[in-house]
Amino acid sequence: MSHADSLTLASGKGHRDENFPVASFVLRRDLRAPVMAFYRFARAADDVADDPASAPEEKLHLLAQMRATLDGRSDADGPARALRLALANRPVPLTHAHDLLTAFERDVTKLRTADWDDLMDYCRYSAMPVGRFMLDLHEEDRALWPLSDALCAALQIINHLQDCAKDRRHLDRVYLPLDSLVRHGTSVEALDAPAASPGLRAVIADLRKDAEQLLDKAASFPAAIRDRRLGMEVAMIDALARKLLDLLQRRDPLSQNVHLGKLAAARIGFGAALRRLVWAR
């Protein structure tokens, strides 16, 4: 363990494998390096928390090592050290990265979600710091944080719905609120079936509607961003999120594909970025 860092448990997943664009071509060139450093840090921490073969104690040790490296108390973790150096001369606090580590620590120690408030508290640490980081990096007004938070929480819920069966199968982790499962007369075990039951479909439909409401709350976000390039990327993300919600309305995540192919995602994203560019003129 003494010579290991978070990359020891790397999944091999990269930024091109994500649902949403990461440091896309529309972002300012001078900011892509710190964005990628933040992404690689988050990906490494996520891989640690999600590794199905590692003991919780090992995962928590590696996450603590990442936290110590962020603070400069250690240089043991490569991705955390790279992020710390990438932000050394920029007006961006490391708080956002620390918040992500809090979420990943919860992933290791907390396998169930009680209710909507519990889910939103998780999103506060797992998703919202990403948007806040991007806004701070672009020196945008922090008054935009509530819009960003709503968008990021919606993206997190979409991810939870897409991966609900996989998370249960590989990690026994369930983000669907337990009170919603009970309300619809079903249980965690419904995720073990080859297809969603009517009760589980109702739970998914409720969360899908909640995510849609969050996207609607964030609808003015792309146009409110001062940096035109960042606004274009956010418009791309919003369009992709809405398409994924459409898939989740029509398909069963237990038995059907609810992910976008690369060509479809590129077409949807490019169209949204172009519309945002036209609006900005």
Side-chain angles (χ1 to χ4, degrees):
M1 288 293 297
S2 60
H3 298 292
D5 73 356
S6 57
L7 294 179
T8 305
L9 303 183
S11 66
K13 186 175 181 179
H15 70 287
R16 298 186 189 282
D17 303 310
E18 302 293 346
N19 268 336
F20 303 102
V22 177
S24 74
F25 70 96
V26 303
L27 284 186
R28 283 168 42 190
R29 186 180 299 273
D30 62 307
L31 297 183
R32 290 179 199 166
V35 170
M36 283 305 301
F38 190 81
Y39 170 77
R40 291 182 181 117
F41 167 85
R43 168 49 46 206
D46 196 12
D47 286 347
V48 167
D50 286 357
D51 188 76
S54 299
E57 295 77 13
E58 179 183 5
K59 295 179 181 183
L60 292 174
H61 169 83
L62 290 172
L63 293 171
Q65 190 167 266
M66 295 185 81
R67 199 180 285 281
T69 303
L70 275 182
D71 286 341
R73 294 180 281 118
S74 169
D75 278 336
D77 187 80
R81 181 176 183 275
L83 178 59
R84 189 185 77 214
L85 294 176
L87 299 181
N89 297 313
R90 295 184 182 274
V92 182
L94 289 168
T95 310
H96 308 309
H98 276 293
D99 284 347
L100 287 182
L101 289 178
T102 297
F104 294 127
E105 288 163 354
R106 288 189 188 181
D107 280 338
V108 176
T109 60
K110 188 172 184 287
L111 300 179
R112 298 290 184 269
T113 303
D115 51 27
W116 176 256
D117 288 343
D118 196 15
L119 179 58
M120 284 300 96
D121 187 61
Y122 176 76
C123 290
R124 161 64 185 86
Y125 292 95
S126 69
M128 296 177 191
V130 178
R132 294 178 181 189
F133 166 81
M134 291 296 289
L135 290 174
D136 279 356
L137 184 66
H138 285 79
E139 299 184 57
E140 294 284 340
D141 191 338
R142 287 192 170 188
L144 294 178
W145 276 19
L147 296 176
S148 175
D149 289 351
L151 173 62
C152 290
L155 304 183
Q156 183 70 88
I157 292 170
I158 290 168
N159 180 255
H160 288 335
L161 293 176
Q162 289 176 305
D163 295 342
C164 59
K166 183 177 73 173
D167 288 338
R168 161 69 172 172
R169 182 169 61 250
H170 295 303
L171 298 162
D172 189 28
R173 191 186 296 155
V174 179
Y175 295 106
L176 308 185
L178 295 179
D179 70 336
S180 183
L181 290 167
V182 171
R183 186 165 60 251
H184 289 291
T186 187
S187 67
V188 165
E189 286 70 29
L191 291 165
D192 301 331
S197 65
L200 184 56
R201 278 188 169 275
V203 173
I204 291 169
D206 281 355
L207 282 175
R208 185 205 160 276
K209 183 176 180 180
D210 291 334
E212 188 171 47
Q213 289 174 346
L214 287 167
L215 288 181
D216 290 343
K217 180 179 177 181
S220 63
F221 186 33
I225 297 171
R226 186 182 68 253
D227 185 283
R228 184 170 61 180
R229 288 176 171 269
L230 179 60
M232 290 168 66
E233 176 150 293
V234 170
M236 292 166 63
I237 290 169
D238 175 79
L240 291 168
R242 292 181 185 277
K243 181 60 179 178
L244 288 170
L245 285 179
D246 180 57
L247 289 181
L248 285 163
Q249 184 174 33
R250 295 183 287 108
R251 299 180 185 176
D252 172 9
L254 269 63
S255 62
Q256 296 174 291
N257 178 30
V258 288
H259 291 78
L260 291 171
K262 292 187 183 298
L263 287 178
R267 176 178 54 80
I268 293 166
F270 181 76
L274 187 60
R275 288 191 295 274
R276 172 63 177 85
L277 180 62
V278 171
W279 295 340
R281 289 181 175 176

